[in-house]
Amino acid sequence: MTRRIFIDKQSPKAYHALVQTSEAVRATAADAGLERTVVELINLRVSQLNGCAFCLDLHTRAAVRAGEDIRRLGVLTAWRDTDLFSPLERAALALAEATTVLSDAAAQEAAYADAVEVLTEDQTAAVIWVAVTINAFNRVSVLSKHPVH
């Protein structure tokens, strides 16, 4: 395997800007009335789709600290097939997936239409920002090959 540069360490100013964006997004989500567990579910689902082991480890621990139920975390990849998630969480997860997998325009439109039926405009924007931000962190970690310790 080719030696990887940890781009967060190589370009600390850029990484710090991403961290600041993440902090602003977290505040935006809270201001919109999204529980921290919802934010962590989004972070985890997007990280699952992107195959980011580092972020999965980090956000699983954050979700547990925020009070998330381990049972729900265990079935997150199959969230559509269980009644364990609220309508708000389902809308947020679908919209986060649509934000991550941009190639399916029909699914994106459907997820957005469904989300605005359940989420406020502020919540819709916050969910998209959370997904955008974790997608960026996933790319930093996946391309840097950050290890899970």
Side-chain angles (χ1 to χ4, degrees):
M1 179 171 69
T2 305
R3 183 178 86 71
R4 296 295 179 124
I5 298 167
F6 285 6
I7 65 170
D8 49 328
K9 305 291 187 240
Q10 187 67 31
S11 307
K13 288 181 184 176
Y15 184 72
H16 183 68
L18 183 57
V19 169
Q20 287 180 311
T21 299
S22 175
E23 291 168 356
V25 167
R26 191 175 313 125
T28 296
D31 290 347
L34 293 176
E35 299 284 333
R36 181 63 187 261
T37 53
V38 174
V39 170
E40 293 306 335
L41 288 173
I42 293 167
N43 287 335
L44 284 166
R45 184 63 190 128
V46 169
S47 297
Q48 288 171 339
L49 293 170
N50 289 325
C52 184
F54 183 86
C55 293
L56 285 166
D57 178 57
L58 178 76
H59 290 287
T60 297
R61 289 183 281 123
V64 170
R65 277 194 311 274
E68 185 54 72
D69 183 343
I70 193 76
R71 185 170 167 227
R72 287 171 19 115
L73 294 176
V75 298
L76 184 57
T77 59
W79 65 268
R80 286 179 175 86
D81 300 324
T82 177
D83 293 331
L84 294 177
F85 299 94
S86 72
L88 184 144
E89 291 165 335
R90 297 170 82 72
L93 290 167
L95 187 56
E97 287 182 0
T99 303
T100 301
V101 184
L102 297 175
S103 61
D104 189 344
Q108 189 179 63
E109 287 300 316
Y112 193 92
D114 290 345
V116 297
E117 293 294 320
V118 177
L119 304 170
T120 67
E121 288 182 2
D122 286 343
Q123 289 172 332
T124 300
V127 166
I128 293 170
W129 275 112
V130 171
V132 165
T133 305
I134 192 62
N135 268 290
F137 279 111
N138 287 167
R139 279 139 183 84
V140 168
S141 291
V142 168
L143 293 170
S144 295
K145 294 273 188 210
H146 286 155
V148 175
H149 297 287

